[in-house]
Amino acid sequence: MLGFMDYVQQAFFTASHWNPDNSYGSLTATARALLDFPTPNGLRLNFSSLSSPNFATSYTLGSIGEVDGSLSYLYTSLPLQISSKSNDIPLRSVIRGYRQLHELRRPDEPWWWELWHQGKRIDRKNTLLYGRLYLPNSHLEALYLRRLSPTTQLKISCVSSSALKSGGSILVLLQSDVGKYSTEYLYSTDSALLGVRGLYNFGQDPREGAGSPEPEALTNVKTALQGKEGIGGRNGRFSAGAEVYYGLLNKSGGMSTGIRFTTLPSHSGFPYTMTLTLNPLMGNLSSTYAVKAGRSLALCSRFDFNFYSYESELQVGMELWRRRNLQPTDLQWVHRKIRERGGWDIPASFSSLAEKVEGIDEGSKDEDTAGVLKARVNQDWGIGLLWEGRVKELLYTAGILIDVKRKEQIFRGVGLEIQYSS
């Protein structure tokens, strides 16, 4: 579950029209949410508040052998009109699961951001400032986020800690997103690391009325993979990206590349996402497949293979949302799908059964959502369980790690995290 400050930062992205999913770093976001979810360790309490549309605070207290905690402050120049009380926050806004991508949005025109008064521009670049101090080890984190233009964003992250070799580190990230493609340039003071990564989306350019022509060979490959719908069509999106980085001090580098196909909301069947990533220098090949098999169920699998050592790993996971009730709702979409296939209607007595078994309603409200159960297991019988939800005015996350092969200590970790915000 996202922390309150992460929730506010996501709201800043939404309010400033920035799409964090259109980047190479988010290529495998769905698989990571379903398979790599962190489980809490020990007891942790979070108290947060959005005292004004521009200012937020958060305090954390934890106990893992010893008592620790943190103090967090956030300021944004862009007023955020969001639900801040923990009993009003939509669960799907703070719980990461299957990521249903939408149609690419056309970037804002630069002049849309201009504000003039008496012949002078008075608009300012939207900015977010964030700081967090960990106690008792005085570990400090800071974030500076600034929207330079409708398609450009600057992000500077800083860390100060005595545990680091140089006492601290700074990461500068310059991001550009025009919809059709996105690029990122980074520099880190740790090993003087330089890097660049990008993502390209095939198909129609959101900045134009029609997509640009593509080579016939590429069109044939895309049609073979997706069938009559076409990878670059309106029902799905095919994306490809890569990253390259090099450390000036340690004289070492790395690279990776990956592709992704995901269905869009206009897809008539079950939503699904497929990815394939390759790190040629390390020899790692990873493929994932995730499907939203029902209104409340999502499944995911990942297979990793190293063609240098011939080692492989298989991992599967799922998420199951629990709803408070299943009262009859508007089933026009069920009738429409059946009529499109067979030309006949659904008897009224089977309406509720059809909703429970075959229902996939992306537009359903969050009010009937009570929580979600996540589970994963790998080939070595390492099991992770996570239950996230809300009780009264509290958000909670309970998790457990199990290692079936370790008979002497089968439970590797148990934790509970509670969040309250006002």
Side-chain angles (χ1 to χ4, degrees):
M1 181 179 293
L2 292 180
F4 184 77
M5 291 304 190
D6 295 323
Y7 167 67
V8 175
Q9 184 175 332
Q10 292 297 319
F12 176 83
F13 290 147
T14 302
S16 61
H17 299 164
W18 182 262
N19 183 11
D21 290 325
N22 193 32
S23 67
Y24 182 74
S26 301
L27 193 73
T28 58
T30 292
R32 294 199 305 267
L34 297 177
L35 299 177
D36 299 332
F37 53 85
T39 57
N41 191 11
L43 178 63
R44 187 162 295 273
L45 305 175
N46 297 278
F47 305 94
S48 308
S49 174
L50 187 65
S51 55
S52 72
N54 303 87
F55 189 74
T57 57
S58 181
Y59 308 96
T60 301
L61 183 64
S63 176
I64 311 177
E66 62 178 9
V67 178
D68 61 358
S70 66
L71 308 174
S72 304
Y73 298 92
L74 183 146
Y75 168 80
T76 169
S77 62
L78 179 63
L80 303 177
Q81 305 298 332
I82 59 175
S83 301
S84 59
K85 296 183 178 179
S86 51
N87 59 333
D88 295 332
I89 296 177
L91 288 180
R92 292 185 181 272
S93 298
V94 293
I95 297 178
R96 290 306 187 199
Y98 183 90
R99 308 286 285 273
Q100 176 64 74
L101 300 185
H102 298 273
E103 293 284 353
L104 294 173
R105 179 183 179 275
R106 180 180 179 180
D108 294 343
E109 296 293 340
W111 58 269
W112 292 358
W113 287 28
E114 296 180 3
L115 293 177
W116 294 82
H117 180 68
Q118 296 181 352
K120 297 182 179 179
R121 286 190 59 177
I122 60 174
D123 55 284
R124 297 182 178 180
K125 301 294 191 299
N126 294 324
T127 305
L128 183 144
L129 302 175
Y130 168 73
R132 185 172 186 177
L133 177 63
Y134 292 86
L135 299 173
N137 54 9
S138 299
H139 179 85
L140 180 63
E141 293 180 353
L143 172 66
Y144 174 81
L145 193 62
R146 187 176 181 88
R147 293 299 311 276
L148 302 179
S149 71
T151 60
T152 309
Q153 177 175 271
L154 176 64
K155 183 177 181 180
I156 303 177
S157 304
C158 307
V159 177
S160 176
S161 176
S162 58
L164 298 178
K165 182 179 180 180
S166 57
S169 177
I170 299 177
L171 173 64
V172 180
L173 187 64
L174 181 62
Q175 301 170 296
S176 176
D177 180 11
V178 298
K180 180 69 172 180
Y181 61 89
S182 67
T183 56
E184 298 174 275
Y185 305 92
L186 64 91
Y187 172 77
S188 175
T189 58
D190 187 13
S191 300
L193 184 68
L194 293 173
V196 59
R197 56 187 179 184
L199 181 72
Y200 182 84
N201 300 300
F202 294 88
Q204 184 175 355
D205 191 334
R207 299 170 297 176
E208 302 174 358
S212 56
E214 296 174 343
E216 182 179 357
L218 178 59
T219 303
N220 295 337
V221 172
K222 296 193 302 183
T223 304
L225 288 175
Q226 179 58 13
K228 62 181 180 180
E229 295 181 350
I231 279 184
R234 304 179 65 89
N235 298 326
R237 183 189 306 152
F238 180 75
S239 307
E243 66 176 351
V244 179
Y245 50 89
Y246 182 77
L248 300 178
L249 298 183
N250 53 20
K251 307 298 182 182
S252 64
M255 66 171 298
S256 70
T257 184
I259 58 176
R260 176 188 65 194
F261 177 78
T262 183
T263 57
L264 299 176
S266 58
H267 179 65
S268 59
F270 292 112
Y272 63 91
T273 300
M274 301 181 295
T275 67
L276 179 66
T277 57
L278 170 66
N279 187 328
L281 299 182
M282 303 300 295
N284 292 327
L285 180 68
S286 178
S287 62
T288 70
Y289 178 76
V291 58
K292 190 171 175 55
R295 184 181 181 185
S296 305
L297 177 65
L299 306 172
C300 183
S301 64
R302 179 172 61 199
F303 179 74
D304 297 325
F305 178 75
N306 188 287
F307 47 80
Y308 292 151
S309 63
Y310 298 103
E311 294 180 350
S312 63
E313 181 180 2
L314 176 64
Q315 192 172 14
V316 296
M318 54 84 70
E319 69 170 3
L320 179 63
W321 289 84
R322 187 175 72 87
R323 302 180 181 275
R324 293 191 180 94
N325 52 56
L326 286 174
Q327 297 178 356
T329 58
D330 184 8
L331 296 179
Q332 293 181 359
W333 64 274
V334 178
H335 293 262
R336 184 176 65 253
K337 286 183 177 294
I338 296 297
R339 284 196 297 267
E340 291 175 354
R341 288 168 171 77
W344 49 273
D345 210 343
I346 302 177
S349 58
F350 294 104
S351 294
S352 60
L353 179 62
E355 181 185 16
K356 294 178 183 179
V357 178
E358 302 182 20
I360 304 178
D361 187 6
E362 294 297 339
S364 61
K365 296 182 179 180
D366 189 77
E367 283 76 5
D368 63 341
T369 301
V372 61
L373 172 66
K374 292 184 179 183
R376 66 169 182 257
V377 59
N378 58 28
Q379 63 186 22
D380 297 324
W381 289 103
I383 302 174
L385 299 174
L386 190 70
W387 176 252
E388 299 176 301
R390 175 166 36 218
V391 174
K392 301 297 182 179
E393 297 184 355
L394 300 177
L395 298 174
Y396 67 87
T397 302
I400 183 173
L401 294 177
I402 302 174
D403 191 345
V404 177
K405 292 187 176 182
R406 296 180 59 180
K407 302 297 183 181
E408 67 281 359
Q409 189 178 1
I410 190 172
F411 297 103
R412 297 180 54 189
V414 179
L416 174 64
E417 182 175 351
I418 298 177
Q419 299 187 40
Y420 173 80
S421 60
S422 61

